[in-house]
Amino acid sequence: MQKINNKILLESIKFAEGEFLPLQFIEKQELIEEIVQKFDTLNNIQAEKIESADMEIDDNMLSQFDEPTEIIQEGIQPQISDKSISNWQESTSMLELSNAVSGCMKCKFGETRTNIVFGDGNPNAEIMIIGEAPGKNEDLSGIPFVGDAGKLLDKILEAIKLSRQDVYIANVVKCRPPGNKTPTEDEFAECLPYLKKQIELVSPKIILTLGAVPLLALFGKGYQITKVRGQELDYNGIIVIPTFHPAYLIYNPSAKKYVWEDVQKLEKIYQNIQSEK
Ligand code: URA
Protein backbone atom coordinates (compact mmCIF):
# COMPACT_ATOMS: atom_id res chain seq x y z
CA MET A 1 0.00 0.00 0.00
CA GLN A 2 1.42 3.39 -0.94
CA LYS A 3 0.63 6.62 0.82
CA ILE A 4 0.70 9.73 -1.29
CA ASN A 5 -0.18 13.02 0.35
CA ASN A 6 -2.09 11.06 2.96
CA LYS A 7 -4.09 9.31 0.29
CA ILE A 8 -3.95 5.62 -0.19
CA LEU A 9 -3.17 3.88 -3.40
CA LEU A 10 -4.52 0.39 -3.17
CA GLU A 11 -3.42 -1.76 -6.01
CA SER A 12 -5.64 -4.69 -5.57
CA ILE A 13 -7.58 -6.79 -3.18
CA LYS A 14 -6.85 -10.44 -3.28
CA PHE A 15 -9.58 -12.87 -2.56
CA ALA A 16 -9.15 -16.29 -1.12
CA GLU A 17 -9.99 -17.80 -4.50
CA GLY A 18 -7.07 -15.93 -6.01
CA GLU A 19 -9.21 -13.43 -7.89
CA PHE A 20 -7.93 -9.91 -8.20
CA LEU A 21 -10.04 -6.81 -8.34
CA PRO A 22 -8.93 -4.25 -10.90
CA LEU A 23 -6.57 -1.44 -9.97
CA GLN A 24 -8.28 0.92 -7.58
CA PHE A 25 -7.41 4.39 -6.48
CA ILE A 26 -9.05 5.00 -3.20
CA GLU A 27 -8.65 8.05 -1.06
CA LYS A 28 -9.62 6.97 2.38
CA GLN A 29 -8.47 4.11 4.52
CA GLU A 30 -12.01 3.76 5.92
CA LEU A 31 -13.31 3.27 2.40
CA ILE A 32 -10.86 0.46 1.77
CA GLU A 33 -11.87 -1.20 5.00
CA GLU A 34 -15.51 -0.76 4.07
CA ILE A 35 -15.06 -2.33 0.64
CA VAL A 36 -13.06 -5.24 2.01
CA GLN A 37 -15.60 -5.80 4.75
CA LYS A 38 -18.51 -5.61 2.32
CA PHE A 39 -17.02 -8.18 0.02
CA ASP A 40 -16.09 -10.30 2.94
CA THR A 41 -19.52 -10.39 4.49
CA LEU A 42 -21.64 -10.22 1.38
CA ASN A 43 -19.82 -12.78 -0.66
CA ASN A 44 -18.81 -14.78 2.35
CA ILE A 45 -15.23 -15.02 1.25
CA GLN A 46 -12.03 -14.14 2.94
CA ALA A 47 -10.56 -11.01 1.51
CA GLU A 48 -7.07 -9.87 2.16
CA LYS A 49 -5.40 -6.70 1.13
CA ILE A 50 -2.07 -7.12 -0.52
CA GLU A 51 0.78 -4.71 -0.62
CA SER A 52 1.42 -2.81 -3.79
CA ALA A 53 4.86 -4.27 -4.22
CA ASP A 54 6.55 -2.69 -7.19
CA MET A 55 4.02 -0.12 -8.31
CA GLU A 56 5.50 2.58 -10.48
CA ILE A 57 3.92 5.91 -9.67
CA ASP A 58 4.15 8.43 -12.44
CA ASP A 59 2.96 12.04 -12.69
CA ASN A 60 -0.15 10.95 -14.50
CA MET A 61 -1.22 8.81 -11.57
CA LEU A 62 -0.36 11.49 -9.05
CA SER A 63 -2.41 14.05 -10.93
CA GLN A 64 -5.46 11.93 -10.17
CA PHE A 65 -5.06 12.94 -6.57
CA ASP A 66 -4.98 16.69 -7.22
CA GLU A 67 -8.72 16.97 -6.88
CA PRO A 68 -10.76 14.65 -4.74
CA THR A 69 -12.41 12.35 -7.25
CA GLU A 70 -14.16 9.07 -6.88
CA ILE A 71 -13.26 6.05 -8.86
CA ILE A 72 -16.09 3.66 -9.36
CA GLN A 73 -15.42 -0.01 -8.78
CA GLU A 74 -15.74 -1.07 -12.35
CA GLY A 75 -16.71 -4.59 -12.99
CA ILE A 76 -17.18 -5.55 -9.37
CA GLN A 77 -20.40 -7.35 -8.64
CA PRO A 78 -21.00 -7.85 -4.95
CA GLN A 79 -24.22 -9.71 -4.43
CA ILE A 80 -26.07 -7.26 -2.27
CA SER A 81 -29.56 -8.12 -1.12
CA ASP A 82 -32.64 -6.26 -2.35
CA LYS A 83 -32.66 -4.43 0.97
CA SER A 84 -29.61 -2.45 -0.06
CA ILE A 85 -31.33 -1.02 -3.12
CA SER A 86 -34.32 0.21 -1.18
CA ASN A 87 -32.57 3.36 -0.01
CA TRP A 88 -30.33 4.09 -2.99
CA GLN A 89 -32.12 7.44 -3.35
CA GLU A 90 -30.30 8.64 -0.24
CA SER A 91 -26.85 8.09 -1.75
CA THR A 92 -24.70 11.17 -1.54
CA SER A 93 -21.85 9.99 -3.76
CA MET A 94 -21.52 7.99 -6.95
CA LEU A 95 -19.64 5.25 -5.12
CA GLU A 96 -22.44 4.93 -2.60
CA LEU A 97 -25.02 4.85 -5.37
CA SER A 98 -23.15 2.26 -7.43
CA ASN A 99 -22.82 0.07 -4.36
CA ALA A 100 -26.45 0.53 -3.43
CA VAL A 101 -27.74 -0.59 -6.84
CA SER A 102 -25.14 -3.25 -7.54
CA GLY A 103 -27.48 -6.10 -6.66
CA CYS A 104 -30.43 -4.68 -8.60
CA MET A 105 -32.79 -7.29 -10.04
CA LYS A 106 -35.70 -4.97 -10.73
CA CYS A 107 -36.01 -5.95 -14.37
CA LYS A 108 -35.40 -9.04 -16.46
CA PHE A 109 -32.06 -7.71 -17.80
CA GLY A 110 -30.62 -8.40 -14.35
CA GLU A 111 -31.09 -12.12 -14.90
CA THR A 112 -28.83 -12.28 -17.95
CA ARG A 113 -26.20 -9.66 -17.19
CA THR A 114 -22.59 -10.46 -16.37
CA ASN A 115 -21.90 -7.05 -14.85
CA ILE A 116 -23.93 -3.96 -14.12
CA VAL A 117 -22.43 -1.21 -16.25
CA PHE A 118 -22.92 1.71 -13.95
CA GLY A 119 -20.74 4.54 -15.22
CA ASP A 120 -17.23 5.69 -16.00
CA GLY A 121 -15.16 8.83 -15.89
CA ASN A 122 -15.19 11.71 -13.47
CA PRO A 123 -18.28 12.07 -11.25
CA ASN A 124 -17.32 15.72 -10.73
CA ALA A 125 -17.18 16.49 -14.46
CA GLU A 126 -19.05 19.40 -16.01
CA ILE A 127 -19.91 17.31 -19.05
CA MET A 128 -21.98 14.16 -18.88
CA ILE A 129 -22.44 11.75 -21.77
CA ILE A 130 -25.48 9.51 -21.85
CA GLY A 131 -25.69 6.43 -24.04
CA GLU A 132 -28.29 3.75 -24.51
CA ALA A 133 -27.36 0.44 -22.92
CA PRO A 134 -24.31 -1.80 -22.52
CA GLY A 135 -23.35 -4.15 -25.32
CA LYS A 136 -21.43 -7.41 -25.08
CA ASN A 137 -18.02 -5.89 -24.32
CA GLU A 138 -19.47 -3.55 -21.74
CA ASP A 139 -21.38 -6.39 -20.08
CA LEU A 140 -18.16 -8.39 -19.83
CA SER A 141 -16.00 -5.54 -18.56
CA GLY A 142 -18.53 -3.57 -16.50
CA ILE A 143 -17.35 -0.37 -18.21
CA PRO A 144 -19.49 1.68 -20.61
CA PHE A 145 -18.40 2.30 -24.19
CA VAL A 146 -15.42 -0.02 -24.48
CA GLY A 147 -16.40 -1.72 -27.76
CA ASP A 148 -16.22 -0.31 -31.29
CA ALA A 149 -18.75 2.43 -30.57
CA GLY A 150 -16.78 3.29 -27.45
CA LYS A 151 -13.53 3.56 -29.38
CA LEU A 152 -15.24 5.95 -31.74
CA LEU A 153 -16.61 7.92 -28.80
CA ASP A 154 -13.08 8.23 -27.39
CA LYS A 155 -11.90 9.59 -30.76
CA ILE A 156 -14.78 12.07 -30.86
CA LEU A 157 -13.83 13.28 -27.38
CA GLU A 158 -10.18 13.46 -28.35
CA ALA A 159 -11.11 15.63 -31.34
CA ILE A 160 -12.43 18.25 -28.93
CA LYS A 161 -9.50 17.75 -26.58
CA LEU A 162 -11.39 15.83 -23.93
CA SER A 163 -10.69 12.52 -22.27
CA ARG A 164 -12.81 10.26 -20.09
CA GLN A 165 -11.48 12.07 -17.06
CA ASP A 166 -13.14 15.27 -18.32
CA VAL A 167 -16.56 13.67 -18.59
CA TYR A 168 -18.85 11.28 -16.78
CA ILE A 169 -20.37 8.55 -18.96
CA ALA A 170 -23.51 6.58 -18.14
CA ASN A 171 -26.20 4.69 -19.99
CA VAL A 172 -29.98 4.84 -19.65
CA VAL A 173 -29.98 1.09 -19.04
CA LYS A 174 -27.35 -0.39 -16.76
CA CYS A 175 -27.60 -4.05 -17.77
CA ARG A 176 -27.17 -5.46 -21.25
CA PRO A 177 -30.44 -6.13 -23.07
CA PRO A 178 -30.12 -9.66 -24.50
CA GLY A 179 -29.26 -9.58 -28.18
CA ASN A 180 -28.43 -5.87 -27.87
CA LYS A 181 -32.03 -4.99 -28.59
CA THR A 182 -32.97 -1.34 -28.23
CA PRO A 183 -34.66 -1.01 -24.85
CA THR A 184 -38.27 0.16 -24.87
CA GLU A 185 -39.70 2.77 -22.50
CA ASP A 186 -41.18 -0.01 -20.38
CA GLU A 187 -37.86 -1.80 -20.28
CA PHE A 188 -35.88 1.22 -19.11
CA ALA A 189 -38.55 2.46 -16.67
CA GLU A 190 -36.96 0.73 -13.65
CA CYS A 191 -33.47 1.91 -14.54
CA LEU A 192 -34.23 5.53 -15.42
CA PRO A 193 -34.41 6.75 -11.79
CA TYR A 194 -30.79 5.58 -11.36
CA LEU A 195 -29.72 7.72 -14.31
CA LYS A 196 -31.64 10.69 -12.92
CA LYS A 197 -29.88 10.24 -9.60
CA GLN A 198 -26.53 10.07 -11.42
CA ILE A 199 -27.36 13.36 -13.16
CA GLU A 200 -28.25 14.87 -9.80
CA LEU A 201 -24.95 13.73 -8.26
CA VAL A 202 -22.75 14.81 -11.18
CA SER A 203 -24.73 18.02 -11.62
CA PRO A 204 -23.16 18.64 -15.04
CA LYS A 205 -23.37 21.90 -16.96
CA ILE A 206 -23.79 20.11 -20.29
CA ILE A 207 -25.16 16.70 -21.26
CA LEU A 208 -24.42 15.09 -24.61
CA THR A 209 -27.04 12.45 -25.40
CA LEU A 210 -26.17 9.73 -27.90
CA GLY A 211 -28.98 8.45 -30.08
CA ALA A 212 -32.71 8.16 -29.59
CA VAL A 213 -32.96 6.29 -26.28
CA PRO A 214 -31.50 8.91 -23.89
CA LEU A 215 -33.53 11.56 -25.71
CA LEU A 216 -36.70 9.57 -25.10
CA ALA A 217 -35.66 8.84 -21.52
CA LEU A 218 -35.07 12.49 -20.60
CA PHE A 219 -37.71 14.26 -22.70
CA GLY A 220 -40.35 11.68 -23.52
CA LYS A 221 -41.93 11.20 -26.92
CA GLY A 222 -42.03 14.02 -29.43
CA TYR A 223 -38.30 14.62 -29.79
CA GLN A 224 -36.85 12.92 -32.82
CA ILE A 225 -33.10 12.62 -32.96
CA THR A 226 -32.98 13.49 -36.67
CA LYS A 227 -34.93 16.71 -35.98
CA VAL A 228 -33.35 17.91 -32.74
CA ARG A 229 -29.74 16.81 -33.02
CA GLY A 230 -27.35 19.68 -32.46
CA GLN A 231 -30.00 21.82 -30.75
CA GLU A 232 -29.63 23.11 -27.23
CA LEU A 233 -32.35 21.55 -25.10
CA ASP A 234 -32.97 22.15 -21.43
CA TYR A 235 -33.19 19.43 -18.80
CA ASN A 236 -33.77 20.90 -15.33
CA GLY A 237 -31.51 23.85 -16.15
CA ILE A 238 -28.79 21.70 -17.75
CA ILE A 239 -27.93 22.26 -21.41
CA VAL A 240 -28.55 19.07 -23.38
CA ILE A 241 -27.09 18.56 -26.85
CA PRO A 242 -28.48 15.49 -28.58
CA THR A 243 -26.38 13.85 -31.25
CA PHE A 244 -26.26 10.58 -33.13
CA HIS A 245 -25.03 7.45 -31.41
CA PRO A 246 -21.45 6.46 -32.37
CA ALA A 247 -22.73 2.95 -33.24
CA TYR A 248 -24.92 4.60 -35.89
CA LEU A 249 -21.86 6.31 -37.33
CA ILE A 250 -20.13 2.97 -37.85
CA TYR A 251 -22.84 2.00 -40.34
CA ASN A 252 -23.57 5.54 -41.56
CA PRO A 253 -20.21 7.27 -41.78
CA SER A 254 -21.76 10.12 -43.76
CA ALA A 255 -23.47 11.22 -40.52
CA LYS A 256 -20.09 11.88 -38.90
CA LYS A 257 -20.13 15.45 -40.13
CA TYR A 258 -23.27 16.13 -38.08
CA VAL A 259 -21.75 14.69 -34.93
CA TRP A 260 -18.65 16.76 -35.59
CA GLU A 261 -20.84 19.90 -35.78
CA ASP A 262 -22.65 18.92 -32.58
CA VAL A 263 -19.55 18.26 -30.52
CA GLN A 264 -17.96 21.47 -31.75
CA LYS A 265 -21.01 23.22 -30.40
CA LEU A 266 -20.54 21.41 -27.10
CA GLU A 267 -16.88 22.45 -27.06
CA LYS A 268 -17.81 26.10 -27.60
CA ILE A 269 -20.39 26.08 -24.81
CA TYR A 270 -17.93 24.34 -22.52
CA GLN A 271 -15.21 26.90 -23.30
CA ASN A 272 -17.66 29.74 -22.60
CA ILE A 273 -18.52 28.19 -19.25
CA GLN A 274 -14.81 27.90 -18.42
CA SER A 275 -14.10 31.50 -19.40
CA GLU A 276 -16.95 32.80 -17.27
CA LYS A 277 -15.47 31.26 -14.12
N1 URA B 1 -23.63 1.66 -26.61
C1 URA B 1 -24.15 2.35 -25.58
O1 URA B 1 -25.14 3.06 -25.73
N2 URA B 1 -23.57 2.23 -24.40
C2 URA B 1 -22.49 1.51 -24.19
O2 URA B 1 -22.00 1.46 -23.07
C3 URA B 1 -21.96 0.81 -25.28
C4 URA B 1 -22.53 0.89 -26.49
Side-chain angles (χ1 to χ4, degrees):
M1 192 115 36
Q2 307 251 4
K3 273 198 172 186
I4 306 160
N5 299 337
N6 286 329
K7 286 157 185 160
I8 307 288
L9 182 59
L10 175 75
E11 190 183 27
S12 55
I13 299 173
K14 188 180 178 227
F15 286 98
E17 284 96 326
E19 282 176 27
F20 284 78
L21 298 188
L23 186 75
Q24 307 269 336
F25 298 99
I26 296 169
E27 288 180 21
K28 293 195 187 90
Q29 179 65 45
E30 305 91 81
L31 208 49
I32 297 169
E33 300 299 347
E34 194 188 306
I35 291 170
V36 171
Q37 251 183 24
K38 229 174 226 171
F39 275 83
D40 220 8
T41 49
L42 293 170
N43 289 345
N44 198 23
I45 54 176
Q46 290 286 317
E48 72 176 278
K49 288 172 282 173
I50 60 160
E51 298 279 308
S52 163
D54 49 10
M55 165 89 66
E56 294 254 336
I57 298 173
D58 59 26
D59 286 344
N60 197 19
M61 279 176 170
L62 285 173
S63 69
Q64 302 201 38
F65 292 105
D66 290 344
E67 295 286 324
T69 56
E70 288 173 311
I71 305 298
I72 303 302
Q73 303 162 60
E74 293 145 350
I76 303 170
Q77 298 296 303
Q79 292 305 304
I80 297 174
S81 72
D82 264 3
K83 203 164 146 251
S84 69
I85 63 167
S86 61
N87 61 353
W88 59 268
Q89 291 95 333
E90 285 143 40
S91 305
T92 54
S93 74
M94 204 62 86
L95 183 60
E96 237 183 87
L97 180 63
S98 71
N99 277 333
V101 306
S102 61
C104 181
M105 292 297 281
K106 284 186 181 171
C107 83
K108 60 184 179 194
F109 297 157
E111 288 161 24
T112 49
R113 72 169 178 242
T114 312
N115 286 299
I116 284 192
V117 181
F118 188 75
D120 189 31
N122 179 357
N124 300 314
E126 293 187 320
I127 300 173
M128 186 160 170
I129 298 179
I130 304 178
E132 179 180 309
K136 188 176 173 201
N137 294 304
E138 290 77 19
D139 175 60
L140 291 174
S141 66
I143 305 168
F145 284 100
V146 291
D148 288 344
K151 287 188 187 106
L152 189 49
L153 177 63
D154 286 340
K155 279 191 191 157
I156 292 167
L157 291 176
E158 212 178 296
I160 51 169
K161 299 171 225 68
L162 295 175
S163 75
R164 285 193 179 216
Q165 275 313 304
D166 300 309
V167 299
Y168 185 75
I169 306 177
N171 286 308
V172 174
V173 175
K174 309 292 185 237
C175 299
R176 183 191 182 201
N180 292 349
K181 279 207 182 136
T182 304
T184 64
E185 256 183 300
D186 278 352
E187 286 170 331
F188 65 62
E190 293 286 8
C191 227
L192 185 55
Y194 299 153
L195 176 70
K196 290 188 173 172
K197 183 70 186 179
Q198 284 177 297
I199 296 173
E200 185 192 311
L201 288 172
V202 176
S203 185
K205 299 278 192 296
I206 317 168
I207 295 175
L208 182 72
T209 58
L210 306 175
V213 172
L215 198 56
L216 178 64
L218 296 185
F219 297 99
K221 290 193 178 81
Y223 287 78
Q224 278 179 17
I225 182 69
T226 45
K227 299 232 170 82
V228 300
R229 61 137 279 273
Q231 291 182 19
E232 269 181 58
L233 306 180
D234 179 291
Y235 176 79
N236 295 340
I238 303 165
I239 297 168
V240 176
I241 302 180
T243 196
F244 292 129
H245 195 288
Y248 175 75
L249 302 183
I250 294 171
Y251 300 103
N252 299 278
S254 63
K256 282 185 184 172
K257 59 178 180 290
Y258 300 116
V259 174
W260 178 230
E261 271 175 35
D262 302 344
V263 295
Q264 278 182 304
K265 185 168 194 169
L266 178 143
E267 185 186 20
K268 215 172 263 171
I269 297 169
Y270 181 56
Q271 281 170 353
N272 285 343
I273 291 169
Q274 300 307 307
S275 66
E276 280 164 14
K277 275 186 184 169

